[in-house]
Amino acid sequence: MGIIVQKFGGTSVGSIERIQNVANRVVHEVDKGNKVVVVVSAMGKSTDELVSLAKQISKNPSKREMDMLLSTGEQVTISLLTLALQEKGYDSISFTGWQAGIETEAIHSNARIVNIDTKKLNESLNKGQIVVVAGFQGITVDGAITTLGRGGSDTTAVALAAALKADKCDIYTDVTGVFTTDPRYIKTARKLQSVSYDEMLELANLGAGVLHPRAVEFAKNYLMPLEVRSSMELENGTIIEEEVSMEKNLIVRGIAFEDQVTRVTVCGLPNELQTLSKIFTTLAQNGLNVDIIIQSTTNDNTTSISFSVKTADLEDTLHVLNSNREELKFTEIQHESGLAKVSIVGSGMISNPGVAAEMFQVLANHEIQVKMVSTSEIKVSTVVEQVNMVKAVDALHEAFSLSVSDKSEVTI
Amino acid sequence: MGIIVQKFGGTSVGSIERIQNVANRVVHEVDKGNKVVVVVSAMGKSTDELVSLAKQISKNPSKREMDMLLSTGEQVTISLLTLALQEKGYDSISFTGWQAGIETEAIHSNARIVNIDTKKLNESLNKGQIVVVAGFQGITVDGAITTLGRGGSDTTAVALAAALKADKCDIYTDVTGVFTTDPRYIKTARKLQSVSYDEMLELANLGAGVLHPRAVEFAKNYLMPLEVRSSMELENGTIIEEEVSMEKNLIVRGIAFEDQVTRVTVCGLPNELQTLSKIFTTLAQNGLNVDIIIQSTTNDNTTSISFSVKTADLEDTLHVLNSNREELKFTEIQHESGLAKVSIVGSGMISNPGVAAEMFQVLANHEIQVKMVSTSEIKVSTVVEQVNMVKAVDALHEAFSLSVSDKSEVTI
């Protein structure tokens, strides 16, 4: 008997029927003798509806009032789920973020958790109550309601698990776990039994999308084991934990990819210390995120900088660069759309220097040209033509034997 | 320059357009140099929608969770109204009930306010901010969200006005004030310039319906002047205050009435001390409200008790009484539907003993039979046949000169 924190996202609680289904998942763990804390998001599209109301009043609504408004979404869910649990005969109690003692920075719409006072939650757990907590929200030391920004409910769940010294934190979602690659594209994609925090961070950042990177970082800091699993099916999901010893023999754990990538190259820049900083500060100040960055110095004391952006951001990116042409002192901008990013991820790469080379060889064998490369200790990303994206993923998935279940899959 | 508390009900904030209209009414007072606190209800039918969600899960949902659920309704309104005020260029801030320091009893769904800590509200007012507070809700000393039950937002407004030592409390509604009688039935009905708290209490209890009795009682205890006025039109409303000196010459201030009344008579009851108590405790425990009660002792040591109920409650009333026949020991139940209640209200009656007699004379002159009578110091209620209701109101309105504007109407 231990403490388990369960998190259910907006889709999982999107209707009364689904909330009742969530109640079933909760009591499934309670019946095993566990103390359970449930963290929930707002129902389905309710946050979008609230945002739409505010936008009818103000194009640029104040963040404090948006937090006041949006935090009602989770509050509706916690009361309904608690009613569903009570209806099944289980003692249960709901808490908003502030009632659950979740203190945050005084930054609206994107606050970070600074402290959790678990006194009330522990009192309720010790009384045998199922505790239902509103995700995504907290309170400042001055008593203002804040929200945690993207991935907020995941972060609430992990932070509560850490503060309550829970045995594990289960993240329920609409997929059954973390896959070697996207099963919608690659038929042989296989669910992983476990990944490390760092691998999950790379996969999450690369758009695997089941778990927010911020929550993974939080879990890594507190060594809190996570399990990503389905809210609809009872099968085991994917465990995220520090040591994935039994899968150590697997060098590459997964392949992430995304389309709609554009490469932008800024040519003829002065070869100065401030050049890199100036360009990317300018873009960041205009809300433009860049991904892979490559700098090449040429002979004539000028430099070119290439970076990848989402194709949807290309127009804005060109506009911002051209508006700052005098300041940035470039001679020309080139760009190429219709690209995609394909990455291999695996902590085994650190001790296997040939993995990147193998990746390039596989792509070359399939006549796929690599446009950009970026590497980290546990990841190699390549930019290829979008028409080759699925072919590249398929080839790499096969080459790194990801469709083959390793021994560890059956040993736990 | 003083403090004004304004309260807007659910209909007044029922859409984005109406919330923007409310913002106009608020800044109208701010522009005059007043510090303004605004209390709002949930938008239109949003409370009904939340109740409907809960009822899909549980037929008998826990009151704590219902308070958690329903309190989100006002929280949505405060943020939207604050955004509307900010959009108009006014510094404004929203507070939930608990943020506004409204402490209540630990009774869910029908809590009473026990204390208001105005520190935060005063800080904001002193900064020149318009303060928008969620009506209908508070917090227990243990940090649980409570709601105040029927008339809760009116009560919040009056309680805040008292705690902030406001100059007045304006109750905005969909009528322009308190009328001598219902203008939908009686064309000569006239808006009153002012009524006393006690008169308003009788009128409110009699179904005039613009202001909850509980809020009037609260205002009376703190001698807080109220004004009932229209949220759509700028004209003055009706002031409710202790002394209505300039209208003292008006003996009868208004005529209230309601249809769908049924008289129930329980015959052959034992003439014992506990008889009255037993009957009405039994009815109350089954959620049945009775209005006028008349007891008559007959010769043979038995007694009959008559009371009026809403016709819609007749079936339940008969069922409850018959189910408890052995305990209550009656011989027979008679009932008559198709009745209506007509009441005259006015604090001037206290010193004018002939008013009730005059009322009966007027009704007799119009060949209207009186079925039941009940009197208080400032009210005489009669039960008549429903077909005679409007005729009775019309005759009394004429007889007591209510359609004629008294002098005071022009002196302020």
Side-chain angles (χ1 to χ4, degrees):
Chain A
M1 172 158 168
I3 296 178
I4 294 182
V5 176
Q6 300 181 314
K7 181 260 172 178
F8 294 89
T11 310
S12 302
V13 295
S15 68
I16 295 296
E17 195 183 6
R18 287 186 179 193
I19 287 172
Q20 288 165 329
N21 173 60
V22 165
N24 289 335
R25 297 310 301 262
V26 173
V27 304
H28 184 74
E29 293 294 344
V30 174
D31 289 345
K32 290 185 200 164
N34 293 302
K35 294 180 179 176
V36 176
V37 175
V38 192
V39 175
V40 288
S41 303
M43 288 174 74
K45 298 287 172 199
S46 67
T47 301
D48 293 346
E49 288 164 18
L50 292 171
V51 169
S52 155
L53 285 177
K55 290 285 180 185
Q56 289 175 53
I57 292 174
S58 171
K59 283 186 183 162
N60 189 23
S62 83
K63 289 181 175 178
R64 181 190 187 279
E65 297 307 325
M66 286 307 288
D67 282 358
M68 178 69 90
L69 180 65
L70 298 185
S71 63
T72 63
E74 290 80 27
Q75 192 171 329
V76 167
T77 317
I78 55 172
S79 52
L80 294 177
L81 176 57
T82 303
L83 289 175
L85 289 165
Q86 290 171 345
E87 191 68 10
K88 294 175 77 71
Y90 288 77
D91 192 5
S92 178
I93 186 167
S94 68
F95 291 109
T96 62
W98 58 268
Q99 288 175 327
I102 299 172
E103 189 197 320
T104 74
E105 304 168 315
I107 293 170
H108 286 290
S109 87
N110 198 21
R112 286 181 171 266
I113 296 171
V114 293
N115 187 40
I116 298 184
D117 178 352
T118 56
K119 186 167 164 285
K120 284 205 170 176
L121 299 189
N122 274 320
E123 278 174 11
S124 290
L125 288 173
N126 290 335
K127 277 192 239 170
Q129 294 180 308
I130 304 170
V131 173
V132 182
V133 179
F136 183 67
Q137 59 182 246
I139 187 172
T140 68
V141 73
D142 287 335
I145 294 173
T146 49
T147 63
L148 308 182
R150 283 181 167 266
S153 290
D154 287 347
T155 306
T156 299
V158 177
L160 281 177
L164 291 165
K165 302 193 191 340
D167 296 78
K168 62 186 287 221
C169 179
D170 290 347
I171 308 288
Y172 286 83
T173 176
D174 50 1
V175 295
T176 56
V178 180
F179 281 72
T180 53
T181 192
D182 190 333
R184 287 172 301 181
Y185 291 84
I186 308 297
K187 296 280 170 250
T188 52
R190 185 175 53 81
K191 188 171 74 183
L192 289 160
Q193 184 202 328
S194 58
V195 291
S196 71
Y197 296 116
D198 285 339
E199 288 170 335
M200 190 64 216
L201 277 171
E202 292 288 7
L203 289 167
N205 278 318
L206 290 167
V210 290
L211 190 52
H212 199 271
R214 195 171 147 190
V216 180
E217 278 175 44
F218 214 114
K220 185 186 174 191
N221 287 342
Y222 288 89
L223 295 179
M224 174 57 57
L226 306 179
E227 181 170 351
V228 172
R229 58 192 308 182
S230 165
S231 59
M232 306 306 280
E233 291 161 56
L234 276 171
E235 63 182 278
N236 286 338
T238 299
I239 307 243
I240 302 152
E241 58 193 345
E242 187 60 11
E243 284 296 319
V244 193
S245 53
M246 283 172 289
E247 287 188 289
K248 268 271 164 78
N249 56 330
L250 209 63
I251 297 169
V252 174
R253 188 89 60 199
I255 300 174
F257 54 95
E258 61 182 89
D259 57 7
Q260 300 297 330
V261 171
T262 287
R263 178 180 63 172
V264 176
T265 304
V266 187
C267 306
L269 289 157
N271 205 351
E272 294 166 3
L273 279 175
Q274 296 301 321
T275 298
L276 258 180
S277 151
K278 268 189 201 166
I279 285 199
F280 296 105
T281 303
T282 304
L283 290 171
Q285 281 168 347
N286 287 277
L288 293 164
N289 286 319
V290 305
D291 187 3
I292 297 175
I293 296 171
I294 294 169
Q295 182 177 24
S296 59
T297 307
T298 51
N299 291 337
D300 54 354
N301 263 349
T302 65
T303 187
S304 290
I305 292 174
S306 293
F307 53 86
S308 65
V309 294
K310 286 181 185 160
T311 300
D313 286 343
L314 175 62
E315 203 173 321
D316 285 350
T317 302
L318 295 176
H319 176 74
V320 166
L321 290 173
N322 282 318
S323 305
N324 292 278
R325 188 163 192 154
E326 282 191 27
E327 164 82 3
L328 301 174
K329 299 175 195 153
F330 57 87
T331 57
E332 190 192 357
I333 301 178
Q334 298 166 351
H335 55 88
E336 180 181 9
S337 294
L339 303 177
K341 187 167 72 158
V342 176
S343 310
I344 56 172
V345 174
S347 49
M349 287 186 209
I350 300 175
S351 46
N352 286 271
V355 178
E358 190 175 345
M359 180 186 193
F360 303 148
Q361 187 62 54
V362 170
L363 295 175
N365 288 348
H366 288 80
E367 296 181 341
I368 297 166
Q369 193 192 353
V370 175
K371 302 267 183 174
M372 297 174 88
V373 175
S374 166
T375 60
S376 79
E377 289 193 320
I378 65 167
K379 182 193 68 172
V380 181
S381 293
T382 59
V383 172
V384 301
E385 285 179 18
Q386 193 167 307
V387 291
N388 289 326
M389 179 178 78
V390 175
K391 186 166 80 167
V393 175
D394 213 1
L396 293 166
H397 198 261
E398 178 70 24
F400 288 106
S401 307
L402 289 177
S403 55
V404 182
S405 177
D406 59 314
K407 279 181 224 156
S408 62
E409 292 291 303
V410 288
T411 52
I412 287 185
Chain B
M1 171 160 168
I3 297 177
I4 293 181
V5 176
Q6 301 182 314
K7 181 260 171 177
F8 295 89
T11 310
S12 303
V13 295
S15 67
I16 295 297
E17 196 182 5
R18 288 187 178 191
I19 287 173
Q20 288 165 329
N21 173 60
V22 165
N24 289 334
R25 298 309 301 262
V26 173
V27 304
H28 184 75
E29 293 295 342
V30 173
D31 289 345
K32 290 185 197 165
N34 292 302
K35 293 180 180 175
V36 176
V37 175
V38 193
V39 175
V40 288
S41 303
M43 289 174 74
K45 299 286 171 200
S46 66
T47 301
D48 294 345
E49 287 164 17
L50 291 171
V51 169
S52 155
L53 285 177
K55 289 286 181 185
Q56 288 175 54
I57 292 173
S58 172
K59 283 186 183 165
N60 189 24
S62 84
K63 290 181 173 178
R64 182 191 186 279
E65 297 306 325
M66 286 307 288
D67 282 358
M68 178 69 90
L69 181 65
L70 298 185
S71 63
T72 63
E74 291 79 28
Q75 192 172 330
V76 168
T77 316
I78 57 172
S79 52
L80 293 178
L81 177 58
T82 303
L83 289 175
L85 290 165
Q86 290 172 343
E87 191 68 11
K88 296 175 75 71
Y90 289 76
D91 192 4
S92 178
I93 185 166
S94 67
F95 291 108
T96 62
W98 57 268
Q99 287 176 327
I102 299 172
E103 189 197 319
T104 74
E105 303 167 315
I107 294 170
H108 286 289
S109 88
N110 198 22
R112 287 182 170 267
I113 296 172
V114 293
N115 187 40
I116 298 185
D117 178 353
T118 58
K119 185 166 166 286
K120 284 205 171 175
L121 299 189
N122 275 319
E123 278 174 10
S124 290
L125 288 173
N126 290 336
K127 277 192 236 169
Q129 293 180 309
I130 303 170
V131 173
V132 182
V133 179
F136 183 67
Q137 57 181 248
I139 187 172
T140 68
V141 74
D142 286 334
I145 294 174
T146 49
T147 63
L148 308 182
R150 284 183 165 264
S153 291
D154 288 347
T155 306
T156 300
V158 176
L160 281 177
L164 292 165
K165 301 190 191 347
D167 296 79
K168 63 186 288 221
C169 178
D170 291 348
I171 308 288
Y172 287 83
T173 175
D174 51 0
V175 295
T176 57
V178 180
F179 281 72
T180 53
T181 192
D182 190 334
R184 286 172 300 181
Y185 291 85
I186 307 297
K187 295 281 170 255
T188 52
R190 185 175 53 79
K191 188 171 76 185
L192 289 161
Q193 185 201 328
S194 58
V195 292
S196 71
Y197 296 116
D198 285 338
E199 288 170 334
M200 190 65 216
L201 276 172
E202 292 289 6
L203 289 167
N205 277 318
L206 290 166
V210 291
L211 190 51
H212 199 271
R214 194 169 148 193
V216 179
E217 277 175 44
F218 213 115
K220 185 187 174 190
N221 287 343
Y222 288 90
L223 296 178
M224 175 57 58
L226 307 179
E227 181 170 349
V228 172
R229 57 193 307 182
S230 164
S231 60
M232 306 305 280
E233 291 162 55
L234 276 172
E235 64 182 275
N236 287 338
T238 299
I239 305 235
I240 302 152
E241 59 193 344
E242 187 58 12
E243 285 295 320
V244 192
S245 52
M246 284 173 289
E247 286 189 290
K248 268 270 164 79
N249 56 330
L250 209 63
I251 297 169
V252 174
R253 187 89 59 198
I255 298 173
F257 55 94
E258 59 182 89
D259 58 6
Q260 300 297 333
V261 172
T262 287
R263 179 179 62 174
V264 176
T265 305
V266 186
C267 306
L269 289 157
N271 205 351
E272 294 166 1
L273 278 175
Q274 297 300 323
T275 297
L276 257 179
S277 152
K278 267 188 200 164
I279 286 199
F280 296 106
T281 304
T282 303
L283 291 170
Q285 281 168 347
N286 286 276
L288 293 163
N289 285 320
V290 306
D291 187 2
I292 297 176
I293 298 172
I294 294 169
Q295 182 177 22
S296 60
T297 306
T298 51
N299 291 337
D300 55 354
N301 263 350
T302 65
T303 187
S304 290
I305 293 174
S306 292
F307 53 85
S308 64
V309 294
K310 286 182 186 161
T311 299
D313 286 343
L314 175 61
E315 202 174 320
D316 284 350
T317 303
L318 295 177
H319 177 73
V320 166
L321 290 173
N322 282 319
S323 304
N324 292 278
R325 188 162 193 153
E326 282 192 27
E327 164 83 4
L328 300 173
K329 299 175 196 154
F330 58 86
T331 58
E332 191 193 356
I333 302 178
Q334 299 166 352
H335 55 88
E336 180 181 10
S337 294
L339 303 178
K341 186 167 72 159
V342 176
S343 310
I344 57 173
V345 174
S347 50
M349 286 187 209
I350 300 175
S351 46
N352 286 272
V355 178
E358 189 176 345
M359 181 186 192
F360 303 149
Q361 187 62 53
V362 171
L363 295 175
N365 289 347
H366 287 80
E367 295 182 340
I368 297 166
Q369 194 193 352
V370 175
K371 302 268 184 177
M372 297 174 88
V373 175
S374 164
T375 61
S376 79
E377 290 193 320
I378 65 167
K379 182 193 71 172
V380 181
S381 294
T382 59
V383 171
V384 301
E385 285 180 15
Q386 193 168 307
V387 291
N388 289 325
M389 179 179 78
V390 175
K391 187 167 81 166
V393 175
D394 214 1
L396 293 166
H397 199 262
E398 177 69 25
F400 288 105
S401 307
L402 289 177
S403 55
V404 182
S405 176
D406 58 315
K407 280 181 221 155
S408 63
E409 293 291 305
V410 290
T411 53
I412 288 185

